[in-house]
Amino acid sequence: MIIDSFDAGATAYPDRIFVQGGDVRMSYQDAADASHAVAAALVRDVQPGTHVGVLSPNHPMVLPAMLGVMRSGAVFVPLNARDPIEDIIWFASFCEIAVLICHPQYAPHLERLKQEIPTLRRVIGLTEPLEPSGHCIAQWVKDFAGQRVSVRREADDIAIIKSSGGTTGRPKAIMQSHRSLETAYRISNQFTPPRKDPVHLVVAPLTHAAGATMVALARIGARNVIAPSADPGVILEAIEHERITHIFLPPTMIYRLLAHPDARTRDCSSLEYVLYGAAPMSVDKLREGIALWGQVFMQSYGQSEVPGVITCLSRKDHFVHNDPELDKHLASAGRPSGACEVALMDDAGNIVGTGERGEIVARGDLVSPGYYNNPEATAEARAFGWHHTGDIGVFDENGYLYVVDRKKDMVISGGFNIYPSEIEQVIWGHPAVQDCAVVGVPDADWGERLTAVIELKPGCNATADEIIELCRKRFGSLKTPKQVEFWPTLPRSPVGKVLKKDVRSQLTAASKPA
């Protein structure tokens, strides 16, 4: 069971601080005791396999709540507090949650939650009761203090059901087994051995990537510090003040840190691992980060269906030779981690060779069981006996995997297939550019008109002509955007991914005649 990763840390480091945030500091032993109490309360009311949701912004009490759900043998359903309430209710209803552990900020929505989630039998307050006759985790911790829970689930039982994010419509509910998650945690720790007592700064939602990182790092006794906000200045201050060693960030947040005026004055020498993933990373900004913070970067490529570590670009792989040929792998997603078998496949189900493009597919213990209540999507994703990621990739002669683009993001312009990610890499290299998205917009002449939408660094300027000329020098006319726009901010998902479907839909709507 995935709770075993935490228990290993609690056994080895009982007195070490497990989580701190605001006025709360909780040791590993305290967190273990609290999670047993939460599990004991759940076991009294629900059967193993029952779906239990947790809805909260980052808060220290989220951790014993999550761990308690896992320990009870229930299925943990993380709900993203950054989503609109309508989306939260839809996903909780689709996943048929029976119990909801909920932060008090959602008290105004309590009646709606109870009415619109048909399977919901009980709502538990995270820090205080949400209604006069209700209960909260703090009460459970007192009422069930000292009780121990020893529920065991099989390796292939479902541990977590996560949202796919819904960047292309209604999200799918991804089932993750104990086996796939334990495989991910084990491989992840092999790539991140600490040199000293690890301190993990929690910036991303605990119910998503940061929570997975926290459980993996628990085995080595990491102290988890919850950042007061995702403001770049606050993050840089926390790195210096708390002597942070580990941090997971999407590339967009790394760009913002590098552009912040405090980036070169704050002491970030404690950093051992800046873990990044979830989206392609600008090589120019990666070089900038290495020059500033040293050889501390590590990339992992995966997705919730194949958690986290299909491939890894290790800290050692981030050494800069200042030789284009030797450094070309900085644009890659690394090499297969050993957590699963990885290959590239054409549309007919044939494995393609080195240097050929194909869809990235995986099979083995890391692969999750599929999608909840969606056998059609599961069957489609598992065609030819492999899980299909939807990403197009190519292996080089040294075994590095380059993620060329999302299959659905490919642009067909003038009859040619164009992969936006390689154009984005060039635009990211402009000194005024903070982030960008390249998409195809319907066009009567071209089929799709290649369009770049750019978010500039604060206080910086650039022109469309500069961007067009930069791309033309690199690619010639075919892959040069026909249209360049500058937006104050790009639309992003709650976990920081640029929503290309929203960029595309806004551009398409603007191009239609009134």
Side-chain angles (χ1 to χ4, degrees):
M1 290 176 62
I2 56 176
I3 192 66
D4 296 340
S5 279
F6 169 78
D7 284 345
T11 299
Y13 312 101
D15 298 325
R16 188 174 289 179
I17 295 298
F18 172 58
V19 60
Q20 65 182 73
D23 297 329
V24 177
R25 291 175 69 88
M26 187 181 302
S27 71
Y28 270 81
Q29 187 62 61
D30 291 338
D33 292 343
S35 70
H36 274 285
V38 172
L42 286 172
V43 167
R44 179 192 61 182
D45 294 340
V46 302
Q47 296 296 315
T50 300
H51 296 181
V52 178
V54 175
L55 174 59
S56 175
N58 282 356
H59 186 282
M61 287 305 296
V62 169
L63 296 179
M66 288 169 51
L67 295 169
V69 174
M70 296 172 185
R71 192 181 297 284
S72 73
V75 175
F76 170 45
V77 182
L79 301 168
N80 199 326
R82 299 178 185 179
D83 280 344
I85 189 65
E86 293 78 11
D87 293 354
I88 292 169
I89 290 173
W90 181 88
F91 190 71
S93 179
F94 181 80
C95 292
E96 301 176 299
I97 65 168
V99 179
L100 177 62
I101 299 172
C102 195
H103 190 276
Q105 77 176 41
Y106 290 96
H109 301 291
L110 181 60
E111 290 307 312
R112 187 175 175 187
L113 290 165
K114 291 195 294 186
Q115 291 173 9
E116 297 185 31
I117 305 173
T119 53
L120 186 60
R121 302 200 304 266
R122 191 171 189 187
V123 178
I124 308 299
L126 184 74
T127 57
E128 60 188 64
L130 272 65
E131 52 190 338
S133 59
H135 295 80
C136 68
I137 294 295
Q139 289 174 321
W140 278 4
V141 169
K142 292 179 181 178
D143 294 345
F144 293 86
Q147 295 195 28
R148 288 292 179 267
V149 174
S150 57
V151 174
R152 297 301 298 177
R153 300 284 280 162
E154 298 298 323
D156 291 323
D157 285 338
I158 305 304
I160 297 176
I161 299 178
K162 295 184 67 174
S163 169
S164 65
T167 57
T168 56
R170 283 293 192 190
K172 292 189 279 289
I174 303 162
M175 299 183 291
Q176 297 177 325
S177 67
H178 291 275
R179 184 189 303 278
S180 64
L181 290 167
E182 273 294 302
T183 301
Y185 300 157
R186 174 174 53 82
I187 295 296
S188 176
N189 282 338
Q190 288 179 10
F191 279 89
T192 56
R195 291 194 295 261
K196 50 194 171 188
D197 292 347
V199 185
H200 170 221
L201 184 64
V202 177
V203 179
L206 271 170
T207 47
H208 290 72
T213 305
M214 173 273 296
V215 175
L217 292 174
R219 190 176 288 274
I220 56 176
R223 173 166 60 98
N224 297 281
V225 179
I226 297 179
S229 80
D231 178 82
V234 172
I235 293 172
L236 289 165
E237 180 182 9
I239 292 171
E240 178 180 273
H241 185 261
E242 297 292 344
R243 309 307 296 154
I244 299 300
T245 62
H246 292 63
I247 185 170
F248 170 83
L249 296 169
T252 293
M253 184 56 69
I254 295 174
Y255 304 161
R256 291 178 177 177
L257 290 183
L258 293 173
H260 195 275
D262 290 349
R264 283 147 188 83
T265 58
R266 288 290 185 183
D267 179 7
C268 297
S269 60
S270 60
L271 286 173
E272 293 184 31
Y273 293 97
V274 176
L275 311 169
Y276 66 97
M281 177 77 166
S282 161
V283 172
D284 289 286
K285 289 179 171 55
L286 182 57
R287 288 179 182 274
E288 182 183 347
I290 293 169
L292 181 61
W293 296 324
Q295 197 177 346
V296 299
F297 288 86
M298 196 202 91
Q299 178 190 173
S300 62
Y301 163 69
Q303 53 184 201
S304 294
E305 294 91 331
V306 193
V309 286
I310 295 175
T311 63
C312 286
L313 190 68
S314 70
R315 192 169 59 181
K316 182 179 178 182
D317 286 328
H318 284 82
F319 183 80
V320 175
H321 299 84
N322 292 316
D323 179 321
E325 184 61 28
L326 293 175
D327 289 342
K328 66 180 183 180
H329 66 273
L330 291 175
S332 78
R335 289 181 278 204
S337 67
C340 63
E341 189 177 357
V342 188
L344 303 179
M345 184 176 286
D346 65 18
D347 290 341
N350 302 305
I351 303 299
V352 305
T354 299
E356 296 182 69
R357 290 182 174 183
E359 183 176 7
I360 302 168
V361 294
R363 63 184 179 186
D365 287 350
L366 189 64
V367 177
S368 72
Y371 302 106
Y372 183 69
N373 274 353
N374 198 340
E376 296 83 5
T378 300
E380 181 181 355
R382 300 296 154 79
F384 307 111
W386 295 71
H387 172 75
H388 292 247
T389 65
D391 291 329
I392 301 297
V394 59
F395 277 110
D396 72 9
E397 65 279 3
N398 295 312
Y400 288 97
L401 175 65
Y402 297 77
V403 182
V404 178
D405 230 316
R406 287 292 294 170
K407 201 172 183 179
K408 294 178 181 178
D409 288 338
M410 185 180 73
V411 177
I412 303 176
S413 185
F416 292 91
N417 294 347
I418 299 173
Y419 296 93
S421 63
E422 59 182 335
I423 303 165
E424 289 164 350
Q425 281 288 348
V426 170
I427 296 173
W428 277 324
H430 191 289
V433 172
Q434 178 157 284
D435 210 348
C436 69
V438 174
V439 300
V441 179
D443 185 273
D445 295 325
W446 293 91
E448 287 185 287
R449 182 172 66 258
L450 198 62
T451 303
V453 179
I454 294 170
E455 181 181 317
L456 294 172
K457 294 178 181 177
C460 293
N461 294 291
T463 67
D465 287 344
E466 288 175 29
I467 301 300
I468 289 170
E469 185 59 25
L470 182 68
C471 294
R472 184 178 286 116
K473 285 182 177 178
R474 174 66 177 81
F475 298 117
S477 61
L478 176 63
K479 297 180 182 179
T480 294
K482 306 296 186 289
Q483 176 182 350
V484 176
E485 294 197 7
F486 297 92
W487 291 3
T489 56
L490 289 164
R492 292 184 175 84
S493 74
V495 294
K497 291 184 181 180
V498 173
L499 296 174
K500 286 192 173 183
K501 75 175 182 68
D502 287 1
V503 174
R504 192 180 298 109
S505 64
Q506 290 180 44
L507 289 169
T508 301
S511 66
K512 290 180 178 178

